[in-house]
Amino acid sequence: MTRQTGTRVPARIGRVLSAVEETAESTKLWWGAAVAMGTLGGRRGRRAAAAGMVGLTVAQLGSNGVGKQLADRPRPPAEWFPHDEVDDRPDSSSFPSGHTAAAVAFTAAVTPAWPAAGIACAVPAVMVAVERVQSGAHYLSDVVAGGAIGLCGAWLTRKAPHLLLRGSAATVRRLP
């Protein structure tokens, strides 16, 4: 079973998606966004940048450090994708999408601290997720799982300090 060429996004959109994904490679896009927020956004920008980078790190650990080690899923068949990008796919497990996990985690962690920056980050985050499927690097389910891991990473980033403080306060109350 092969996919028809018509199912691929138009060439111009494909080039834009590829360019965004290329800048997201090795989290460069998110580091750049964090530096810009921290430099231009004052205290709120620094808080948003820190939250984004912590969320991204947690999601990367979950997706690449745990998820890909547990699931040894091959990439989608190359013949489904009639374009050259299929040759540039990584050799790691397809499940889950680490790029998507990082993009979603960064965006979701930034948004509560600085909603306007979070909205701005959402556009390239969605583009990264779409590109991972259209390029043949991932199945849609890999990207959905990466997004879920990213949301969990952002949630942990937001809630962990409160949970840790609550736990340490309870421990202090129990001390003699």
Side-chain angles (χ1 to χ4, degrees):
M1 178 175 147
T2 60
R3 290 193 176 182
Q4 300 298 317
T5 313
T7 61
R8 180 166 154 77
V9 297
R12 285 187 201 163
I13 294 172
R15 284 192 294 274
V16 171
L17 292 174
S18 292
V20 170
E21 190 280 329
E22 185 71 28
T23 42
E25 191 71 36
S26 302
T27 67
K28 294 181 296 238
L29 175 62
W30 313 117
W31 275 102
V35 167
M37 282 183 243
T39 303
L40 304 172
R43 185 171 185 200
R44 178 168 58 170
R46 289 187 296 277
R47 188 175 27 241
M53 294 314 298
V54 170
L56 178 146
T57 301
V58 170
Q60 289 282 43
L61 289 171
S63 64
N64 297 336
V66 177
K68 286 186 183 287
Q69 306 309 312
L70 295 176
D72 190 21
R73 184 179 194 180
R75 301 284 170 168
E79 58 270 7
W80 285 6
F81 302 91
H83 52 80
D84 297 336
E85 290 180 35
V86 175
D87 300 332
D88 296 332
R89 299 184 304 178
D91 295 330
S92 61
S93 174
S94 180
F95 185 89
S97 170
H99 284 81
T100 304
V104 169
F106 184 86
T107 301
V110 162
T111 301
W114 193 1
I119 291 168
C121 291
V123 172
V126 168
M127 293 172 80
V128 166
V130 169
E131 192 281 337
R132 301 311 287 162
V133 174
Q134 79 87 29
S135 70
H138 290 285
Y139 294 98
L140 179 59
S141 58
D142 303 336
V143 169
V144 170
I149 291 169
L151 289 173
C152 289
W155 182 84
L156 281 172
T157 298
R158 187 161 173 85
K159 296 296 181 182
H162 303 292
L163 296 172
L164 291 172
L165 287 174
R166 191 177 334 163
S168 63
T171 302
V172 168
R173 282 193 299 260
R174 281 185 259 150
L175 292 176

